[in-house]
Amino acid sequence: MLFRPIGAAGQRKIAASRVAIVGCGALGSYQAMALARAGVGELLIIDRDYVEESNLQRQSLFTEQDARDGMPKAVAAKTHLASANSAVSIRGVVADLNADNASEMLDGVDVVLDGTDNFETRYLLNDLSILKRFPWIYGAAVGSYGVTMTVLPGEGPCLACIFPSAPAGLQPNCDTDGILSATASAIASIQVAEGLKILSGNVAALHRKLITVDLWENRFQAVNPGLAGASCRACQLREFSYLKTNGSLAVRLCGRNSVQVHGGRQALDFSALERKLASHGTVRFNAHVMKFIVAPYEMTIFPDGRAIIKGTEDPGEARRLYARFVGPPSQ
Ligand SMILES: [Zn+2]
């Protein structure tokens, strides 16, 4: 409130706002921490993954205990942030944001911050933002390089204007290329500042640039992204191809030797599943997640039936394992 451009009136707007963070890794951890402490009204944290020890170098919300417990990131984030600011209503949603659920999940949000690690989900967010007219703030970081842009539907270019298809250099392999934690928090900081400008009614202060940084090569650039592309698929032709269900029910996860398999759309009974699996391997579970180790595979199973299967990069093999141990996956 003491910062004049926000002031008491801006803070009241922030406190009445709904913000979604999609992906709670390096960028999302920082965004969630900063926005909870800034006192947004509702904070929705959507993430499909669980905490691993190798995340801790940059994902500042999580602890070694979260990694030992294999806690879903959305649950761990909510738990830690609730004790940072109890006035914020925080929802941690353990889910894969996709064409089937995105519209409902992001209904009524004032702004979305990108914490994802893939262009598929970013194009989905971009399509939905244009259709439903909410702003979203693109951000990506790999190695020491980071990039961010704020997308205001109807004003200036969208992500698909700038990158009609996923740029090769920005399809990172986060776990093999590594990431400098300072770069992730620099990009996330810019995203948070932009978010607070939008929420507090200071749209005129937005940077309106495509910002890139390389904190190791010491390069800082802010280029004018120009006007919306006249033939942009998304914002001009309004072909929202990423809002159509693509049917990819088993997908390889970037650099993880893992495949995500979608479940049968009904809630799993972990106790019953444990009885079924106990003779095949090691099983442990809590209210949020089940770990089933059957060498050389490690299956992380969520209550909604989704699973991340480590030890293979072959979607077909992952679906066969899922069918054998959990049940028939989604058709
Ligand atoms: Zn566009």
Side-chain angles (χ1 to χ4, degrees):
M1 281 191 279
L2 293 179
F3 179 64
R4 245 180 245 158
I6 291 181
Q11 187 64 41
R12 274 196 297 278
K13 288 180 189 164
I14 291 170
S17 67
R18 294 178 78 179
V19 182
I21 290 171
V22 179
C24 197
L27 296 172
S29 286
Y30 181 87
Q31 296 159 1
M33 183 277 295
L35 290 170
R37 290 177 189 274
V40 299
E42 281 183 57
L43 187 59
L44 173 65
I45 301 168
I46 303 167
D47 190 277
R48 65 183 180 186
D49 216 337
Y50 56 92
V51 180
E52 293 185 287
E53 194 187 14
S54 64
N55 302 151
L56 301 180
Q57 163 259 3
R58 61 198 177 279
Q59 299 182 18
S60 53
L61 269 181
F62 309 127
T63 64
E64 291 182 340
Q65 189 62 46
D66 294 329
R68 277 193 290 274
D69 294 342
M71 286 299 278
K73 291 180 181 177
V75 174
K78 179 193 156 112
T79 307
H80 297 309
L81 290 174
S83 58
N85 188 348
S86 58
V88 179
S89 162
I90 303 171
R91 281 178 59 211
V93 178
V94 186
D96 180 37
L97 191 84
N98 57 42
D100 289 328
N101 60 22
S103 178
E104 191 185 334
M105 234 180 251
L106 296 177
D107 191 42
V109 297
D110 295 304
V111 64
V112 176
L113 272 66
D114 175 16
T116 67
D117 60 1
N118 65 88
F119 264 82
E120 184 93 358
T121 312
R122 292 189 180 110
Y123 286 132
L124 169 69
L125 279 177
N126 190 63
D127 281 6
L128 195 64
S129 126
I130 293 160
L131 181 67
K132 296 199 145 194
R133 301 191 69 80
F134 61 77
W136 77 283
I137 304 167
Y138 160 59
V142 61
S144 57
Y145 176 79
V147 54
T148 179
M149 185 177 89
T150 301
V151 177
L152 293 173
E155 276 184 62
C158 77
L159 185 71
C161 292
I162 309 285
F163 302 114
S165 55
L170 275 173
Q171 280 292 53
N173 205 333
C174 317
D175 287 319
T176 53
D177 292 355
I179 177 169
L180 194 68
S181 67
T183 299
S185 46
I187 292 297
S189 272
I190 298 171
Q191 291 177 284
V192 167
E194 291 281 281
L196 291 175
K197 292 171 191 172
I198 292 170
L199 297 175
S200 63
N202 287 288
V203 175
L206 293 171
H207 61 64
R208 301 198 185 250
K209 296 282 194 294
L210 180 70
I211 292 182
T212 58
V213 300
D214 190 317
L215 296 191
W216 210 259
E217 302 295 333
N218 307 308
R219 278 198 291 263
F220 301 87
Q221 276 197 316
V223 300
N224 190 330
L227 303 170
S231 59
C232 174
R233 164 195 65 79
C235 69
Q236 302 302 311
L237 306 179
R238 298 180 71 83
E239 287 168 10
F240 299 128
S241 34
Y242 287 82
L243 297 182
K244 297 184 182 114
T245 306
N246 61 16
S248 60
L249 297 165
V251 291
R252 261 184 76 222
L253 299 181
C254 143
R256 296 271 307 276
N257 190 27
S258 297
V259 175
Q260 170 182 260
V261 179
H262 277 274
R265 284 175 198 280
Q266 60 217 22
L268 291 176
D269 177 345
F270 277 174
S271 301
L273 190 58
E274 184 197 30
R275 289 193 291 276
K276 179 176 158 187
L277 296 180
S279 59
H280 298 284
T282 310
V283 190
R284 56 195 166 86
F285 69 98
N286 57 35
H288 309 292
V289 68
M290 173 180 269
K291 215 34 120 187
F292 171 50
I293 299 164
V294 52
Y297 308 106
E298 188 179 304
M299 298 178 70
T300 301
I301 305 163
F302 299 95
D304 65 358
R306 198 168 50 85
I308 294 175
I309 301 175
K310 195 175 199 170
T312 180
E313 302 220 318
D314 174 2
E317 184 182 19
R319 277 171 67 82
R320 282 192 294 280
L321 288 162
Y322 187 99
R324 178 171 167 211
F325 292 116
V326 185
S330 287
Q331 293 307 307

